Amino acid sequence: MRGRSYALKVCYRTSQQIRRAADRLLPSVLRDTDGLEDERRGVISVFDGPPPEVKSLADVAAETDLVRQTVTAWLDDGIGPHEIGLFVRTPQLVVRARAAIAGLTGEGEITTTPMSLAKGLEFRAVAVMACDEGVLPLDERVCALVLEYGGDDDQAIAGLLHDVIEDCGEQHRAVVRATFGDRVADIVEGCTDGVPDSEGVKAPWRQRKAAYLAHLRDAPPDTLLVSACDKLHNARAIAADVRSIGDEVFTRFKAGREGTLWYYGALLDVFGALSSG
């Protein structure tokens, strides 16, 4: 609704426990699609419920198994299929939610939809899945940060594509250059800290990160802006997860807590030195 003059402070559809969990993930001020800012402090919920469970899983197969077991338990407890919702970040991920419930009783009545369509819907049981790195938050957030900090169109495009070579392989290097031009390609390559070989294997983590830190010290301004926005985006996501689930978040990272904190501390030193130099 456009033109709303004030933010609603009483929540009738979300339990106090879920709202509190969301409070640990979200900033106190949110900007909506019209660019209007809402103050979140002082929001209350009118009912209680079980606290949300957060699980970190090794791969898609493990996630599918857990979601299937969870939905099966809900059905066994007497929750109707039409009272269950499975939510994902984008329309493309709906197929992953459907795969997790394939063959279950009443699967056609279970709602599987992007999060953006959840507003106004009510369920007795909800699961949010496919929250992979780069999906929640979306890599689009890096692009938005680049623009927020004064970046131009080429830098914003590079922000959107910054991980494509290191995540998807060497073959995408030429595609990015041919499609978006030399400047975008140079920035994306400058943000790449390691490329998987033909078997999908990268160099050891510490070796790659040390090389990337050394590379940043002589990197051009285009690369530094996009790289800094990427790392800021990642750091904010990690901090939000720490507030939500504590140090368990570091089990997702190959380097664990100690290595992750070393890397982000080293990044802070590099970017700090360059900004003051």
Side-chain angles (χ1 to χ4, degrees):
M1 178 185 297
R2 294 173 182 258
R4 178 160 47 87
S5 60
Y6 60 90
L8 302 178
K9 297 293 186 179
V10 180
C11 183
Y12 295 96
R13 290 190 171 97
T14 301
S15 70
Q16 191 86 331
Q17 288 74 15
I18 292 176
R19 185 193 56 74
R20 284 173 178 163
D23 284 345
R24 293 194 291 269
L25 296 172
L26 296 172
S28 60
V29 177
L30 296 178
R31 184 181 292 112
D32 67 14
T33 55
D34 293 326
L36 302 175
E37 292 188 346
D38 271 351
E39 170 65 59
R40 297 189 64 256
R41 281 193 289 262
V43 176
I44 62 171
S45 298
V46 297
F47 67 95
D48 288 315
E53 297 182 22
V54 180
K55 302 290 185 182
S56 179
L57 302 164
D59 51 36
V60 173
E63 176 194 60
T64 298
D65 288 344
L66 180 59
V67 171
R68 189 177 187 83
Q69 293 168 16
T70 301
V71 173
T72 299
W74 289 339
L75 293 170
D76 291 344
D77 287 341
I79 298 177
H82 64 287
E83 298 176 305
I84 296 173
L86 297 184
F87 292 96
V88 293
R89 185 63 180 85
T90 67
Q92 294 78 10
L93 291 168
V94 171
V95 65
R96 189 155 143 190
R98 297 305 307 174
I101 58 171
L104 293 183
T105 301
E107 65 169 292
E109 299 178 65
I110 297 174
T111 297
T112 54
T113 187
M115 299 173 190
S116 58
L117 301 180
K119 189 173 183 179
L121 302 181
E122 294 185 7
F123 301 94
R124 288 182 62 194
V126 168
V128 180
M129 58 182 296
C131 301
D132 305 337
E133 183 177 354
V135 173
L136 194 69
L138 287 170
D139 278 339
E140 293 169 10
R141 300 291 179 86
V142 177
C143 173
L145 278 175
V146 171
L147 293 173
E148 181 179 338
Y149 285 98
D152 57 30
D153 288 349
D154 281 346
Q155 292 167 328
I157 292 169
L160 194 61
L161 300 172
H162 69 280
D163 274 341
V164 68
I165 297 175
E166 66 180 68
D167 285 351
C168 302
E170 180 69 36
Q171 68 273 21
H172 293 278
R173 191 185 300 268
V175 175
V176 171
R177 190 168 295 276
T179 305
F180 298 102
D182 289 338
R183 186 176 177 221
V184 171
D186 287 345
I187 299 172
V188 173
E189 291 179 4
C191 291
T192 301
D193 77 355
V195 181
D197 60 21
S198 58
E199 297 181 351
V201 178
K202 296 181 182 179
W205 183 87
R206 187 86 178 206
Q207 176 183 328
R208 286 189 290 111
K209 300 307 179 185
Y212 187 70
L213 289 166
H215 152 75
L216 284 178
R217 293 185 177 91
D218 297 314
D222 277 353
T223 296
L224 291 174
L225 173 63
V226 176
S227 178
C229 288
D230 172 33
K231 305 314 176 190
L232 175 60
H233 163 265
N234 291 343
R236 285 175 172 174
I238 293 170
D241 284 347
V242 168
R243 288 194 294 271
S244 177
I245 62 174
D247 282 356
E248 180 185 342
V249 64
F250 294 108
T251 62
R252 305 174 187 172
F253 299 98
K254 293 180 180 179
R257 183 180 186 278
E258 181 179 349
T260 302
L261 294 181
W262 163 79
Y263 182 50
Y264 280 91
L267 285 167
L268 181 61
D269 290 341
V270 170
F271 287 125
L274 290 170
S275 65
S276 62

